[in-house]
Amino acid sequence: MQPFNLIKTKNYEELSQAASEIIIKVLKENPHSLYCFAGGDTPVRTLELLVKAHKEKEINLSDAYYIGLDEWVGLDSFNEGSCLSYMKRNLFDPANIPEEQVHFFNATSEDLEKECNLADEYIKKHGGITLSLLGVGVNGHLGFNEPGTSFESLAHIVDLNDITKKVGQKYFEQDVMISQGITLGIKQLLESKYLILEASGETKKEAVKKLMESKITEDWPVTALRLHTNCTVVLDGML
């Protein structure tokens, strides 16, 4: 078990700057590799800074490949609350990333198991994920890996916890019936060469506290990050 690199910042802007600097460095060293970026509120500014660096020709995001971390089952990219819509809006479209270099779950498919297999195969094809940028759920989930998920899991379908469904409503203009998610597994995230976890805001305090403790437990998926040999945790001034 390795200790992770902890970066404590004064505010959200500093958090975003710190995370983006790491990603830019890795992108420069591994321009054609596979990357996985989480959606949600916290990574928004980090993605903006990556796009800025791309437009200023410091990096070329369109050389890399991308795999979706997760998706709400039943939603497609036309729903603005979907994870794919989020990534298109915040990264793929502004950086003009070719569609053929992006692999995302088709969460409207009638064969979701096939979608899981396709994601697993895509990761293998690219020799694993070079860097994963993650957020953490209020209940400690990573992606849609809810409490109780095996650390040996690959891509899978999951019944979402009530708190995940409740918090998730903020991404939609109207109430949406969401009961399941489809997500990369914890094993795949832990096999990323680099891991970055961003945590911002009061609601993440308990999850961050669990991460800081020595006990590693599937009850708090975020604690799996303590098993990674190259993980950076970036916290804002609230934490």
Side-chain angles (χ1 to χ4, degrees), residues 103-162:
H103 183 92
F104 240 83
F105 292 111
N106 174 9
T108 63
S109 171
E110 292 183 2
D111 191 347
L112 293 176
E113 289 292 346
K114 181 180 178 182
E115 289 299 310
C116 294
N117 292 334
L118 288 172
D120 295 342
E121 290 166 8
Y122 193 81
I123 292 172
K124 286 181 183 177
K125 174 185 172 183
H126 288 272
I129 301 168
T130 291
L131 183 147
S132 291
L133 171 67
L134 304 175
V136 59
V138 174
N139 63 359
H141 72 211
L142 300 172
F144 282 145
N145 291 285
E146 299 281 35
T149 302
S150 169
F151 291 172
E152 294 297 312
S153 60
L154 300 180
H156 61 283
I157 303 135
V158 59
D159 293 328
L160 299 173
N161 282 15
D162 287 343

Side-chain angles (χ1 to χ4, degrees), residues 5 8 17 54 60 69 71 73 77 85 89 115 117 138 148 183 192 210 213 225 229 232 235:
N5 179 31
K8 291 187 175 182
Q17 289 279 356
H54 170 82
N60 188 351
L69 173 61
E71 188 58 275
V73 168
S77 64
S85 176
R89 190 165 59 246
E115 289 299 310
N117 292 334
V138 174
T183 184
S192 303
K210 293 292 183 182
E213 295 173 355
L225 299 185
T229 58
T232 300
L235 309 179

Side-chain angles (χ1 to χ4, degrees), residues 10 15 50 66 71 73 87 100 120 123-124 152 170 187 193 239:
K10 293 178 182 177
L15 173 149
L50 294 181
Y66 304 88
E71 188 58 275
V73 168
M87 292 304 302
E100 59 268 24
D120 295 342
I123 292 172
K124 286 181 183 177
E152 294 297 312
K170 68 181 177 181
K187 180 178 174 66
K193 292 175 184 173
L239 299 167

